[in-house]
Amino acid sequence: MTDLETVDYVEQPSAYAFDETVQRLLKAIDGAGMSVLARIDHAAGARHIGMTMPSTIVILYGHPRGGTPIMQAAPHAALDLPLRALVRETEGGKVMVAYHPIAALLRRDGVPDDLARRLEPAQKLLLEAIR
């Protein structure tokens, strides 16, 4: 069992401002041959209803080559795919990037270990992009 399997989420501060952090993540995802499937802007949603919150975006990303074999092995793993990353700005202005360690989630879905670990590099590249 790795350390990532004992935590609910991984969160790391970014060395960059919010917009640059988002752009660096998008570039890393694209550079790895994956696609951004959606961007959910929670702060925009808050503004829409007359509320405020710090900049907060969830990025959904992946590639069918990575996810399809996993969903074939355990169809309900589709509930945890595609991969997601949270980019948020704290009240103090610090930018954080977070995600749920996918291998642990997929193992709980009954995905064999070798398949579950296949997506870990797709998450780790995000942390490399913000250092």
Side-chain angles (χ1 to χ4, degrees), residues 40-91:
I40 302 166
D41 187 338
H42 290 295
R47 286 190 300 277
H48 181 73
I49 61 165
M51 298 180 75
T52 62
M53 66 183 289
S55 297
T56 305
I57 292 178
V58 175
I59 301 169
L60 280 70
Y61 69 101
H63 192 285
R65 197 171 344 217
T68 301
I70 291 168
M71 291 181 282
Q72 288 173 327
H76 55 280
L79 289 168
D80 295 316
L81 296 173
L83 296 171
R84 318 175 170 137
L86 166 65
V87 184
R88 68 182 185 93
E89 190 168 18
T90 68
E91 293 290 338

Side-chain angles (χ1 to χ4, degrees), residues 2-130:
T2 68
D3 290 338
L4 291 181
E5 294 173 15
T6 62
V7 297
D8 290 330
Y9 65 92
V10 171
E11 187 169 62
Q12 181 170 316
S14 174
Y16 305 94
F18 185 84
D19 289 337
E20 186 173 352
T21 295
V22 171
Q23 289 309 308
R24 291 178 71 85
L25 295 179
L26 296 176
K27 183 177 178 183
I29 290 165
D30 184 61
M34 295 179 285
S35 298
V36 172
L37 305 167
R39 285 176 55 171
I40 302 166
D41 187 338
H42 290 295
R47 286 190 300 277
H48 181 73
I49 61 165
M51 298 180 75
T52 62
M53 66 183 289
S55 297
T56 305
I57 292 178
V58 175
I59 301 169
L60 280 70
Y61 69 101
H63 192 285
R65 197 171 344 217
T68 301
I70 291 168
M71 291 181 282
Q72 288 173 327
H76 55 280
L79 289 168
D80 295 316
L81 296 173
L83 296 171
R84 318 175 170 137
L86 166 65
V87 184
R88 68 182 185 93
E89 190 168 18
T90 68
E91 293 290 338
K94 187 174 233 174
V95 178
M96 306 297 288
V97 174
Y99 60 83
H100 293 285
I102 194 63
L105 288 177
L106 294 175
R107 272 192 215 88
R108 283 183 261 170
D109 291 333
V111 175
D113 188 56
D114 61 322
L115 284 176
R117 290 193 175 279
R118 287 180 59 179
L119 300 182
E120 286 178 330
Q123 290 186 311
K124 291 178 182 176
L125 73 88
L126 301 178
L127 301 182
E128 293 167 10
I130 61 168

